[in-house]
Amino acid sequence: MGGNVLIRNGHIVDPSQGIDGVGDILIEHGKIAGIEIHGGSAEERKQRETKAADSRTVDAAGMYVLPGLVDMHAHLREPGFESKETIASGTMAAVKGGFTSVCCMPNTDPVNDNETVTEFILRKNHAEGSCYVYPIGAITKGQKGEELAEMGMMREAGCVAFSDDGRPVTNGLVMRRALEYSKVFDVPIISHCEDLALSEGGVMNEGEAALLLGLSGIPSSAEEVMVARDVILAGLTGGRLHIAHVSTEGSVRIIRRAKERGIRVTAETCPHYFCITEEVVEGYNTDAKVNPPLRRQRDIDAIMQGLMDGTIDVIATDHAPHHRDEKRREFDKAPFGISGLETALALGLGLVHGGVLTMPQLVEKMALNPARILGLQKGTLKAGSDADVVVVDVKREWTVDPEGFVSKGKNTPFRGWVLKGKPVMTICKGKIHE
Ligand code: DOR
């Protein structure tokens, strides 16, 4: 983007600077040059007019202008599972959903457990990606949970966090060591909390709905005992722990207590954990098969409370695209996962429409907080930052049609939902996507 862009008259929300008002934002040479909130003197207004004269001007009246969203939990599937998603298709989906930075989980083939894979991902994204990609390295070699991977080498190559996501780190000593290293490298350890002995064989939430469908259940305790173990280990080591995809009331309670006690823990949830319950599985809907599973209304209520009081810092997508044929198998055999990049913002905005979060709080959860947790200079519209910007029409209603997704993953339980709020323009890496 050699030229300048002036986005005028939009409602700018940037919690990193406490900005929440109508104004203009100027982009020069791919960087944020400055923001002016309306009002001001006649002289200032005249300066704005002068700047507008030699820029591409975007009229954002009636729209929100936000920092590009940061997704700290996505599966881009490359290398190895290109039939599900590629870095090219996943980052295109990201940009369409308002995201300008995406962190990709290491459960690829080969696993991202060494710097060669990390470098491959970064090179591939440099060549083909539509947004910024930050790899997350595996905690253990091959994600087998046994031996720590080369965290130092991967950190140097560009990994921003470590996780065995998709699988838990079952061995407590291995987790303890990983948390100790997290202090050395100053990165979070992202924990997929699941006690495999408790969840074994389960395909949906344990309870009445599973009984009626004749499906095996995964109890809330399978998540909660591992959340408890990991906050205890974070307390022991002083390491940096981030809990992935929180789905239960009990997990929220444990994390809240841990934060009160000063343990270094942060947490994320995903839109499907505050929008839908286990009932959506009815009819053996494999698009609603996800791990951890969809839970009950009381879990949704607790997660919303956790988002409101700051117990849950982040809304991530856990974008988990799968090939259509895999999801068409019988419920027991279909893979876990929901394609989330193209619906997350609208589902998050539902919390704003419903009075659960304010707009600045939503931007914190979807842009600023993930960037801060990962130490990225993102999620902000501060002058000098990369011009990662999303313009959102929060009133626009649209119907979710996965056939129209840019992601290869059409697996969404929100098919046919009418959502309110759509990104109409995403600016990233010097390009305007509209
Ligand atoms: O539903 C899920 N899908 N949960 C995970 O933890 C992994 C993910 C995947 O990779 O498909």
Side-chain angles (χ1 to χ4, degrees):
M1 190 158 47
N4 303 340
V5 183
L6 181 67
I7 305 173
R8 306 194 67 186
N9 305 320
H11 186 146
I12 303 170
V13 176
D14 179 13
S16 78
Q17 307 181 78
I19 293 176
D20 181 3
V22 172
D24 301 343
I25 169 164
L26 180 66
I27 295 168
E28 281 177 342
H29 313 297
K31 302 273 180 199
I32 305 286
I35 290 180
E36 280 179 7
I37 295 302
H38 286 183
S41 62
E43 180 56 28
E44 278 167 346
R45 277 200 300 277
K46 193 155 167 254
Q47 275 174 11
R48 279 204 297 271
E49 300 302 328
T50 319
K51 277 183 194 160
D54 53 39
S55 309
R56 172 179 168 181
T57 303
V58 174
D59 180 17
M63 309 278 167
Y64 274 88
V65 181
L66 314 175
L69 307 180
V70 179
D71 186 8
M72 69 180 292
H73 189 146
H75 298 270
L76 295 180
R77 304 299 193 202
E78 198 174 353
F81 300 109
E82 291 81 358
S83 66
K84 296 174 191 272
E85 193 78 289
T86 60
I87 289 171
S89 63
T91 56
M92 255 156 53
V95 162
K96 185 156 169 243
F99 292 90
T100 51
S101 296
V102 172
C103 302
C104 57
M105 285 296 176
N107 58 342
T108 46
D109 184 17
V111 167
N112 183 14
D113 63 0
N114 64 77
E115 72 280 10
T116 313
V117 180
T118 307
E119 283 161 6
F120 166 84
I121 293 167
L122 289 171
R123 247 196 339 269
K124 193 90 184 170
N125 188 57
H126 186 71
E128 298 172 12
S130 298
C131 70
Y132 295 92
V133 166
Y134 297 94
I136 295 173
I139 297 173
T140 63
K141 288 188 180 157
Q143 291 192 284
K144 291 200 169 78
E146 292 156 10
E147 207 184 328
L148 285 182
E150 293 290 351
M151 290 165 67
M153 306 276 268
M154 282 190 282
R155 175 72 178 133
E156 246 172 62
C159 283
V160 295
F162 295 96
S163 180
D164 272 2
D165 184 65
R167 297 183 55 77
V169 177
T170 295
N171 183 319
L173 180 60
V174 173
M175 193 53 151
R176 174 184 181 169
R177 296 282 177 251
L179 285 163
E180 281 162 354
Y181 277 113
S182 76
K183 289 194 293 185
V184 179
F185 304 122
D186 195 28
V187 291
I189 298 295
I190 303 178
S191 182
H192 169 114
C193 291
E194 179 179 356
D195 181 316
L196 290 177
L198 286 171
S199 66
E200 200 190 342
V203 291
M204 69 173 290
N205 184 44
E206 181 176 288
E208 214 174 297
L211 273 176
L212 286 172
L213 290 166
L215 294 171
S216 320
I218 301 174
S220 295
S221 55
E223 175 174 314
E224 291 156 2
V225 295
M226 289 297 255
V227 174
R229 181 201 73 174
D230 286 349
V231 298
I232 290 166
L233 291 176
L236 171 71
T237 57
R240 289 184 55 195
L241 173 66
H242 178 81
I243 307 289
H245 41 52
V246 169
S247 76
T248 81
E249 183 187 12
S251 296
V252 176
R253 211 178 313 124
I254 296 164
I255 296 162
R256 185 179 292 121
R257 278 289 309 279
K259 285 189 167 190
E260 280 163 11
R261 289 169 48 215
I263 291 172
R264 295 172 83 194
V265 59
T266 53
E268 78 193 23
T269 190
C270 316
H272 41 274
Y273 298 121
F274 56 75
C275 289
I276 45 179
T277 65
E278 58 186 0
E279 277 157 42
V280 178
V281 174
E282 204 181 311
Y284 305 95
N285 178 4
T286 57
D287 286 338
K289 181 176 176 182
V290 61
N291 188 24
L294 304 174
R295 307 282 188 184
R296 301 153 304 172
Q297 188 58 45
R298 56 192 281 199
D299 298 297
I300 291 186
D301 296 343
I303 285 167
M304 286 196 187
Q305 190 57 47
L307 283 164
M308 277 192 274
D309 68 19
T311 302
I312 300 179
D313 308 84
V314 169
I315 297 172
T317 66
D318 196 0
H319 177 73
H322 289 290
H323 193 274
R324 197 188 299 264
D325 295 346
E326 299 167 294
K327 276 290 194 182
R328 277 203 186 126
R329 304 181 69 188
E330 57 265 57
F331 198 89
D332 277 332
K333 301 224 170 73
F336 292 97
I338 288 174
S339 180
L341 281 167
E342 289 166 75
T343 49
L345 175 58
L347 294 167
L349 281 167
L351 298 176
V352 177
H353 298 312
V356 177
L357 296 180
T358 63
M359 196 64 171
Q361 283 172 330
L362 183 71
V363 175
E364 276 175 19
K365 312 265 182 210
M366 297 190 79
L368 183 60
N369 291 350
R372 281 192 174 154
I373 290 167
L374 299 166
L376 308 176
Q377 300 301 309
K378 295 286 177 184
T380 175
L381 297 172
K382 279 199 181 124
S385 312
D386 287 338
D388 299 342
V389 182
V390 58
V391 181
V392 185
D393 182 348
V394 298
K395 295 193 199 97
R396 169 99 65 96
E397 294 199 347
W398 59 287
T399 304
V400 178
D401 172 15
E403 303 319 314
F405 280 4
V406 201
S407 167
K408 291 191 183 188
K410 315 296 179 195
N411 45 307
T412 174
F414 299 106
R415 177 191 299 266
W417 278 43
V418 178
L419 301 180
K420 201 167 146 198
K422 209 172 194 343
V424 291
M425 176 183 280
T426 306
I427 301 177
C428 186
K429 277 179 144 185
K431 281 213 178 78
I432 300 180
H433 305 260
E434 45 193 332

